[in-house]
């Protein structure tokens, strides 16, 4: 029963990802998402209270998947004290990859109008910042790279830079490879500024 519910939820999230990417949050209807997933509205509402809840579940899943990949990559980094080399090793796993800037922009816009969605969005972002803090702390400790600022501030700065770079790349219609290069270049500029002189 639990596995069936998980499968239903996963298929709804996958269908929502496709529909939101095609038509946006406002234009996407619960009916269209259900039709794409092959389920009834009853199946939808047994898993999600609303389209907004589904949307937040989707961006949570996408960002968690990405941060899981980054965390695994961090544990495999070769020993080095050069922050630029560390950035280059992680760069192709950028924090914003697969997190379509259109989706994030839409939920942010909706959250500005809806206090309940704003609260949920801020909780999601706090959760993401916590994951980024853990990754930064691991890199700092493993490679002996003391920071100039608290880990929480460094995480917020890097997440902001990552999201903005992703948006800029989307606006410029860059390919995924070009977007990753742009992200790498920006991180190479920012990361050394975060590291305290030895």
């Amino acid at each position: 029963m639990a596995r069936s519910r998980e499968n239903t939820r996963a298929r709804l999230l996958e269908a929502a990802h496709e529909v939101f990417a095609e038509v946006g949050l406002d234009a996407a209807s619960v009916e269209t998402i259900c039709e794409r997933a092959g389920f009834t509205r009853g199946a939808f509402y047994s898993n999600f209270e609303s389209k907004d809840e589904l949307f937040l579940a989707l961006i949570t899943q996408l960002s968690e998947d990405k941060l899981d990949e980054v965390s695994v990559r961090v544990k495999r980094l070769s020993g080095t004290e050069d922050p630029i080399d560390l950035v280059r090793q992680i760069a192709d796993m950028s924090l914003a990859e697969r997190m379509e800037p259109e989706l994030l922009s839409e939920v942010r816009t909706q959250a500005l109008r809806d206090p309940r969605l704003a609260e949920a969005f801020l909780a999601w972002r706090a959760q993401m910042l916590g994951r980024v803090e853990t990754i930064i702390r691991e890199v700092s400790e493993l490679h002996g790279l003391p920071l100039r600022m608290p880990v929480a501030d460094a995480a917020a700065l890097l997440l902001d830079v990552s999201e903005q770079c992703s948006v800029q790349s989307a606006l410029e219609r860059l390919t995924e490879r070009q977007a990753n290069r742009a992200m790498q270049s920006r991180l190479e500029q920012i990361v050394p500024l975060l590291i305290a002189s030895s």
Side-chain angles (χ1 to χ4, degrees):
M1 194 76 164
R3 179 169 293 180
S4 175
R5 183 179 175 84
E6 285 177 17
N7 288 339
T8 300
R9 186 178 175 88
R11 284 171 59 187
L12 284 166
L13 285 167
E14 184 178 348
H17 192 193
E18 294 173 2
V19 175
F20 287 144
E22 289 170 11
V23 301
L25 179 58
D26 280 337
S29 67
V30 170
E31 290 79 6
T32 303
I33 293 168
C34 290
E35 184 178 329
R36 182 73 59 93
F39 292 118
T40 63
R41 286 172 61 94
F44 178 92
Y45 287 111
S46 69
N47 284 275
F48 303 100
E49 287 186 9
S50 66
K51 186 172 66 171
D52 287 344
E53 183 184 323
L54 168 67
F55 191 78
L56 283 170
L58 174 62
I59 63 171
T60 298
Q61 179 190 48
L62 293 174
S63 51
E64 283 287 349
D65 288 350
K66 178 48 54 186
L67 288 172
D68 285 346
E69 292 177 33
V70 173
S71 184
V72 168
R73 174 64 63 95
V74 162
K75 288 176 173 59
R76 295 178 182 164
L77 291 175
S78 60
T80 178
E81 294 183 2
D82 179 4
I84 297 298
D85 185 44
L86 290 173
V87 168
R88 287 177 181 147
Q89 291 184 56
I90 301 174
D92 63 335
M93 301 295 293
S94 68
L95 297 179
E97 187 180 335
R98 260 208 101 212
M99 282 300 301
E100 291 87 341
E102 297 87 353
L103 294 181
L104 277 176
S105 295
E106 283 209 58
V107 75
R108 214 179 260 119
T109 300
Q110 295 284 345
L112 287 170
R113 301 189 190 107
D114 182 344
R116 286 181 61 230
L117 186 56
E119 183 179 352
F121 179 75
L122 290 173
W124 165 79
R125 202 167 195 282
Q127 181 183 351
M128 294 305 101
L129 281 170
R131 290 291 310 277
V132 176
E133 284 179 40
T134 299
I135 291 169
I136 292 173
R137 193 174 288 110
E138 286 177 357
V139 172
S140 176
E141 292 173 357
L142 282 172
H143 298 279
L145 298 169
L147 300 176
R148 293 180 185 271
M149 62 180 69
V151 173
D153 292 341
L157 178 61
L158 288 176
L159 195 58
D160 287 345
V161 167
S162 178
E163 288 177 0
Q164 179 55 40
C165 192
S166 178
V167 168
Q168 185 70 24
S169 295
L171 289 171
E172 294 176 4
R173 304 296 191 262
L174 300 184
T175 64
E176 185 174 324
R177 186 173 181 182
Q178 290 171 325
N180 279 339
R181 279 192 196 143
M183 181 73 73
Q184 177 179 330
S185 176
R186 186 61 55 85
L187 292 176
E188 285 179 7
Q189 293 172 328
I190 298 294
V191 168
L193 301 177
L194 305 180
I195 309 299
S197 302
S198 54

